[in-house]
Every structure is written in structure tokens, then in C-alpha cells.
């Protein structure tokens, strides 16, 4: 079974991550892992921290001569600002952050003990492991892409895949629509001046997925519930939809369900409103997921709170913070989805080596053609 754990505080020594259950023989492209880490750090609207961080994944274990050897893969990402022991205590919990609930749970008076781990710095570790999961999936021509579809209420036009990719390569926000992006940048600037923050929606698409991943037989084996859980596990994600999602609820069935038709190659689906999953099982179409991110909870013009030390009204704590981290969340989103999809893929085709998985996979595809 593919499983992982991460550890590390935002201003601690660094992040540790272990990915267990990878087959032997997978080529580890370190440049790709670092390019995903770099993408997470980018995007207009990020705070000062991104100038300090310059993440690089150090692979500590599980790899020899750039190939996995079947043992757990260990990764370290060092923090450039290892200052945890010099930072002042925090007693004014920020509305919308984990400070108050986490402090009550663990009995912390200094809420720094909460925020150091609740901080989305942790997502860098998941991006590194998610990149490894993407490398595994790529071996089977399964590719993940993500981009933002709205920011602060500004929608992004839908574009053909080629145009979208071309525009994305020049984008500062992971936004494929230059007109929308210009408005978004303006809005981010105005929001920063107002001391406020923004959220938005991003989309993850997964192409090349074979039919048959996940299962309808138990709720927790359904691929849609698993992918939704993976996306919802990212801090600040408050909604996830698959295919047409919430919009399907207000349409009649005849305008929601994808008809099943014949083509020269066999069965085909002229539309993909289901987003590639029916009955909790991948149906061979592109998997389409969207995730809604709430605005960042740390405001430079802080919201009212109560200082837990004095019991008196106070301004919420201010930390160095992002105005909008949606572009970064979109990168984390593809990593989190890749980890869950790779887990489902290995459940079905898993073997101890890449060669064994290839045999299992091609046998399955051959049998499907018969
Ligand atoms: C990539 C990314 C970056 C984030 N950056 C910040 C930040 O700079 N400041 C902040 O207050 N919250 C930030 N957040 C959101 C908080 O981590 C999140 O709101 C908090 O942990 C509480 O969890 P919840 O929103 O899921 O309830 C970020 C989230 C992501 C995914």
C-alpha cells in the first residue's frame, strides 16, 4: 500500500517526509520534484516568506543511481528561516486559522505551538511526495495538470487545452486567461493595500486514467470520495466538486448524465460531465476536480479576537503572510491528487517492481480489448 507521513514546523529545522510502498525501478527525476516545489512557491500574491524559501528536496533514502529500490523514500526540505526558538509567543488567535481550536485541543498557552504545524508550510513536503507519485503515474501515461478557474470572484474563460497550456507557461498566477489574470493582479494589489486577503477556485485534471480504479463496494473505496478527501486535506480548501459537481444539482438528469455511444474504437462518451468517475470507479474519461479555497486567515488589518492571556478583546496576531495563495494551492492540489490516484493505481496493478506493474497493467488493458 502506498502511504506517507510528513513532519516539520514552519520555522523549525525543516520538513521530513516518507513515502512507503513505491515499487523498485522507478526513475526519480530530481529536477521535476524541485520544479514542483518552485511552482508552489511562486504566484503573484504570496508573502515575504517566499523570498526567503527556496525549496529543494534532498532525497535521503530509498533511491540508488536515481532509481527507487523498493524501500521507503525519505525526503528532507530544509527551512531557510529556522528561527522557531527566537519567535515571540502568540496569544491572540486568528479567526479562521487553527490557533484557537488547536490550542484548546492540545492545551497550549503559546499558540505558536499550533500554528507552526498547522501552517501550510507542511504542503511543501506533500508537493515533493506528490511529484514522486506523478513520476510513477507518468510511467503509465497518466498526467496531472492544474490551474486556477476563479480568484476573488473573477472567473477564468475556458480555453482549448493547447491554448491553455501555452498561456499557463507565461502566467504569474497559474491562470490560463490573460485578461482575467490582469484583473486578478489588480484585485490582489488593491486587497493587499486594504490589508485583506483572497481565495478562489482551482481545477485539477487527470488524463490517461484507465477505467477501473476505485470501487463502488464500500464508501471508503470510492475514488471520488478518496480524491475529494485528498483535496480537502489541503489547508483552506472548503469545497470540492467532481465533474459538474454542484451545478448538476439544479439540472434535470437528461442534461447531466453522459450518454453511452458506439464509435469505431468501441464504447465512447461524447460528454464528460461526470468528471471521469461513475459509481466511485474511474470510467476511462479525464478526471476533473475543482477545489474552493477560502481567503487566507492572517490579515494585515487584523480581525477582532480575544487575547487568551489577558482575556480582553485584541487584534488577531499578524504573521508574515500571503494575500492570496491560490496558485500555490493549485500546485499542492495536483500533488495531493497524484498521491491518492497512485495509491488507487497500485491497489489495482501493484507489484514490487515497475516491470511487474507494467505486466499487470498491460495484461489488464489487453483483456479489456477482448
Ligand atoms: C499554499 C497555502 C499557503 C497558505 N498560506 C497562508 C498564509 O500565508 N497565512 C495564513 O494565515 N494562511 C495560509 N494558508 C491557509 C491556512 O494554512 C489555513 O487556513 C489554516 O491552516 C486553517 O485551516 P483551514 O482553513 O482548513 O480551517 C495557506 C494555505 C495554503 C494551501
Amino acid at each position: 500500500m502506498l502511504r506517507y507521513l510528513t513532519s516539520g514546523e514552519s520555522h523549525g529545522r525543516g520538513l521530513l517526509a516518507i513515502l512507503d510502498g513505491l515499487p523498485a525501478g522507478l526513475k526519480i527525476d530530481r529536477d521535476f520534484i524541485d520544479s514542483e516545489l518552485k511552482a508552489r512557491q511562486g504566484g503573484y500574491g504570496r508573502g515575504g516568506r517566499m523570498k526567503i524559501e527556496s525549496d529543494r528536496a534532498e532525497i535521503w533514502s530509498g533511491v540508488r543511481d536515481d532509481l527507487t529500490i523498493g524501500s521507503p523514500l525519505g525526503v528532507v526540505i530544509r527551512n531557510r528561516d529556522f528561527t522557531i526558538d527566537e519567535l515571540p509567543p502568540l496569544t491572540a488567535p486568528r479567526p479562521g486559522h487553527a490557533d484557537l481550536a488547536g490550542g484548546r485541543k492540545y492545551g497550549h498557552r503559546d499558540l505558536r505551538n499550533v500554528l507552526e504545524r498547522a501552517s501550510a508550510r507542511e504542503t511543501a513536503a506533500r508537493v515533493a511526495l506528490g511529484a514522486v507519485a506523478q513520476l510513477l503515474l507518468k510511467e503509465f501515461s497518466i498526467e496531472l495538470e492544474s490551474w486556477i478557474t476563479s480568484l476573488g470572484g473573477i472567473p477564468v474563460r475556458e480555453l482549448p487545452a493547447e491554448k491553455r497550456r501555452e498561456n499557463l507557461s507565461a502566467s504569474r498566477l497559474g491562470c490560463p486567461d490573460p485578461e482575467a489574470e490582469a484583473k486578478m493582479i489588480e484585485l490582489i494589489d488593491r486587497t493587499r493595500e486594504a490589508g485583506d486577503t483572497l481565495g478562489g477556485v482551482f481545477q485539477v485534471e487527470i488524463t490517461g486514467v484507465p477505467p477501473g480504479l476505485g470501487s463502488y463496494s464500500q464508501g471508503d473505496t470510492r475514488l471520488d470520495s478518496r480524491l475529494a478527501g485528498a483535496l480537502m486535506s489541503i489547508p483552506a480548501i472548503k469545497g470540492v466538486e467532481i465533474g459538474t459537481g454542484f451545478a448538476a444539482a439544479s439540472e434535470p438528469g437528461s442534461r447531466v448524465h453522459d450518454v453511452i455511444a458506439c464509435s469505431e474504437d468501441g464504447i465512447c462518451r461524447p460528454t464528460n460531465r461526470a468528471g471521469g468517475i461513475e459509481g466511485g470507479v474511474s470510467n476511462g474519461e479525464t478526471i476533473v476536480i475543482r477545489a474552493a479555497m477560502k481567503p487566507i486567515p492572517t490579515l494585515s488589518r487584523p480581525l477582532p479576537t480575544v487575547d487568551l492571556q489577558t482575556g480582553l478583546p485584541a487584534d488577531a496576531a499578524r504573521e508574515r503572510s500571503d494575500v492570496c495563495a491560490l496558485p500555490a494551492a493549485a500546485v499542492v492540489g495536483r500533488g495531493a491528487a497524484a498521491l491518492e490516484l497512485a495509491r488507487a493505481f497500485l491497489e489495482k496493478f501493484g507489484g514490487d517492481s515497475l516491470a511487474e506493474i507494467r505486466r499487470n497493467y498491460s495484461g489488464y488493458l489487453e483483456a479489456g480489448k477482448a
Side-chain angles (χ1 to χ4, degrees):
M1 187 177 71
L2 192 70
R3 53 194 178 148
Y4 68 88
L5 276 178
T6 73
S7 168
E9 278 74 41
S10 181
H11 300 92
R13 216 174 268 282
L15 300 165
L16 311 171
I18 293 180
L19 183 58
D20 186 41
L22 280 176
L26 174 67
K27 186 157 178 22
I28 296 299
D29 177 348
R30 291 162 205 257
D31 291 342
F32 177 68
I33 300 173
D34 286 341
S35 73
E36 286 293 275
L37 287 172
K38 193 166 177 211
R40 192 199 75 94
Q41 293 185 274
Y44 199 78
R46 308 287 329 257
R49 170 134 210 189
M50 295 309 127
K51 294 182 191 107
I52 296 168
E53 287 177 9
S54 168
D55 287 337
R56 213 175 62 79
E58 293 172 30
I59 298 191
W60 276 42
S61 50
V63 176
R64 280 190 80 196
D65 295 331
D66 288 337
L67 292 175
T68 54
I69 54 173
S71 40
L73 182 128
V75 176
V76 168
I77 303 169
R78 290 176 203 269
N79 285 341
R80 306 281 162 193
D81 56 346
F82 170 30
T83 50
I84 193 165
D85 296 327
E86 291 130 48
L87 291 170
L90 192 143
T91 55
R94 293 161 298 170
H97 219 298
D99 308 344
L100 181 61
R104 287 189 163 163
K105 176 176 170 65
Y106 290 101
H108 290 310
R109 281 163 185 273
D110 179 0
L111 303 177
R112 182 158 299 285
N113 290 331
V114 176
L115 78 98
E116 282 291 329
R117 180 64 187 159
S119 152
R121 174 76 185 131
E122 182 272 343
T123 60
R126 275 196 275 167
V127 164
L129 299 187
V132 175
Q134 288 187 67
L135 290 173
L136 173 68
L137 293 168
K138 271 180 215 250
E139 292 286 337
F140 301 92
S141 304
I142 300 171
E143 303 266 354
L144 288 97
E145 290 176 273
S146 60
W147 61 91
I148 70 173
T149 58
S150 78
L151 187 153
I154 299 170
V156 169
R157 272 177 308 150
E158 256 187 65
L159 294 166
E162 226 166 274
K163 186 74 191 151
R164 184 184 72 224
R165 284 184 199 126
E166 188 191 316
N167 289 353
L168 275 175
S169 64
S171 166
R172 297 157 80 188
L173 275 179
C175 169
D177 175 353
E179 264 175 51
E181 176 161 306
K183 290 185 197 155
M184 289 168 184
I185 287 180
E186 241 183 78
L187 178 63
I188 290 172
D189 288 342
R190 269 188 279 129
T191 305
R192 182 185 286 112
E193 275 165 34
D196 217 329
T197 57
L198 293 165
V201 179
F202 67 83
Q203 180 155 329
V204 178
E205 283 199 5
I206 318 175
T207 51
V209 182
L213 302 190
S215 170
Y216 47 78
S217 66
Q218 296 290 347
D220 62 358
T221 62
R222 293 179 68 101
L223 189 62
D224 42 8
S225 84
R226 293 169 58 170
L227 286 170
L231 271 290
M232 193 64 105
S233 75
I234 301 168
I237 300 306
K238 295 298 146 202
V240 178
E241 57 179 15
I242 304 213
T244 46
F246 276 78
S250 45
E251 294 285 347
S254 57
R255 274 196 251 146
V256 169
H257 304 303
D258 305 302
V259 300
I260 301 172
C262 302
S263 76
E264 276 173 18
D265 305 324
I267 280 189
C268 79
R269 313 299 294 272
T271 57
N272 181 27
R273 300 181 190 115
I277 304 174
E278 287 168 303
V281 181
S282 62
N283 64 7
E285 302 295 316
T286 296
I287 293 183
V288 181
I289 316 165
R290 272 179 300 277
M293 182 182 203
K294 74 182 188 185
I296 297 288
T298 309
L299 274 59
S300 67
R301 188 168 292 169
L303 291 172
T305 188
V306 171
D307 190 312
L308 301 186
Q309 210 163 31
T310 61
L312 296 172
D315 282 345
R318 262 168 286 192
E319 285 277 305
R320 189 176 48 222
S321 186
D322 302 324
V323 175
C324 179
L326 184 66
V331 177
V332 182
R334 63 176 177 254
L339 282 162
E340 194 53 48
L341 197 80
R343 184 179 292 164
F345 186 87
L346 290 178
E347 274 163 22
K348 183 142 181 68
F349 305 111
D352 296 318
S353 68
L354 202 63
E356 190 179 353
I357 299 172
R358 277 194 209 292
R359 287 197 295 277
N360 296 342
Y361 190 51
S362 58
Y364 174 78
L365 295 183
E366 281 304 313
K369 280 186 203 151

